[in-house]
Amino acid sequence: MLLAYIPNARYVREIEVPVFALPLGDEAELRPLEPWNAQEFLAHVDRARPDVDPWIPWATLSADLDSATAVLQRYADKQARDSARIYGIWLDGVLVGGVMFTSFDAASGVCEIGCWLEAAGTGRGLVTRACRELIGWAFAVRGMSRVEWWVAPGNARSIAAARRLGMTREGVLRRRYPYRGVRQDSEIWAILAEEWAVPGT
């Protein structure tokens, strides 16, 4: 079996399925989200829907087990092509959110990171810690030059996360994409490899 990689991870065994897990503190772990997690993922999305549905289209797309499986399968297929990745955040053994490389282009040295969280996981810094792990891996291990963060201007929590990660707001792309019949703006935030500060340095 091919195993997904998370930097600095330790090998664990859960339900006799081998996975990698990265401790985030506060009884939280970062692990790959894979198609076999679809039932748990769907239950989590149902809990998170009021908070994330306005901002993340795949929350709308994950309406039942088949569609939730399809979302995770698309990420698995993209990871196999080295073009995206998705990870979940488990708190006390319960999936409460996640982070992802929405796009990952090693040839150009540019990737986009995103996140989401249900109410039960808020206020603990879990997204910030998880994103720092992914960004650090992108720069240090994969040699990426630039990590981007795309966000709707009204998504105050996501914008605050980008600031905490040391990103710079570079501009707004007006009416960049349609969502529920309305064209939406996108703010673009980014951080460059030379701007990234490793925690503890």
Side-chain angles (χ1 to χ4, degrees):
M1 178 181 290
L2 293 176
L3 301 179
Y5 175 75
I6 295 179
N8 306 319
R10 58 183 171 82
Y11 185 75
V12 299
R13 184 172 293 274
E14 176 171 307
I15 320 176
E16 299 184 355
V17 177
V19 298
F20 283 104
L22 176 66
L24 294 175
D26 296 330
E27 303 301 321
E29 292 183 325
L30 186 67
R31 306 181 208 158
L33 259 178
E34 299 176 343
W36 63 269
N37 297 120
Q39 186 69 61
E40 186 176 15
F41 177 65
L42 176 61
H44 156 63
V45 170
D46 285 342
R47 294 190 303 271
R49 207 175 300 278
D51 297 314
V52 305
D53 196 49
W55 317 115
I56 303 176
W58 56 249
T60 299
L61 297 176
S62 300
D64 53 30
L65 184 58
D66 287 344
S67 57
T69 302
V71 166
L72 296 182
Q73 186 62 56
R74 279 195 294 276
Y75 271 95
D77 294 342
K78 288 180 179 182
Q79 178 163 326
R81 297 191 300 270
D82 197 28
S83 63
R85 286 168 173 76
I86 189 167
Y87 301 97
I89 297 172
W90 276 262
L91 177 63
D92 295 321
V94 177
L95 180 63
V96 295
V99 292
M100 56 195 168
F101 288 115
T102 307
S103 63
F104 196 92
D105 187 344
S108 70
V110 177
C111 60
E112 177 192 350
I113 192 171
C115 66
W116 76 96
L117 199 63
E118 68 176 77
T122 59
R124 299 169 178 260
L126 299 178
V127 160
T128 302
R129 279 177 263 167
C131 286
R132 289 190 72 86
E133 292 293 338
L134 265 63
I135 294 170
W137 176 80
F139 287 144
V141 177
R142 297 303 306 277
M144 302 300 272
S145 177
R146 170 183 172 88
V147 175
E148 297 180 344
W149 185 281
W150 292 82
V151 56
N155 191 345
R157 290 174 58 194
S158 184
I159 290 170
R163 286 196 177 101
R164 285 195 300 272
L165 293 165
M167 294 189 167
T168 297
R169 182 181 182 270
E170 297 182 335
V172 178
L173 275 68
R174 296 177 297 164
R175 298 187 182 178
R176 174 175 169 252
Y177 66 97
Y179 185 50
R180 295 183 172 177
V182 178
R183 300 293 305 186
Q184 305 290 327
D185 294 348
S186 290
E187 288 189 12
I188 180 168
W189 294 66
I191 189 165
L192 306 181
E194 59 268 29
E195 297 169 340
W196 181 245
V198 177
T201 63

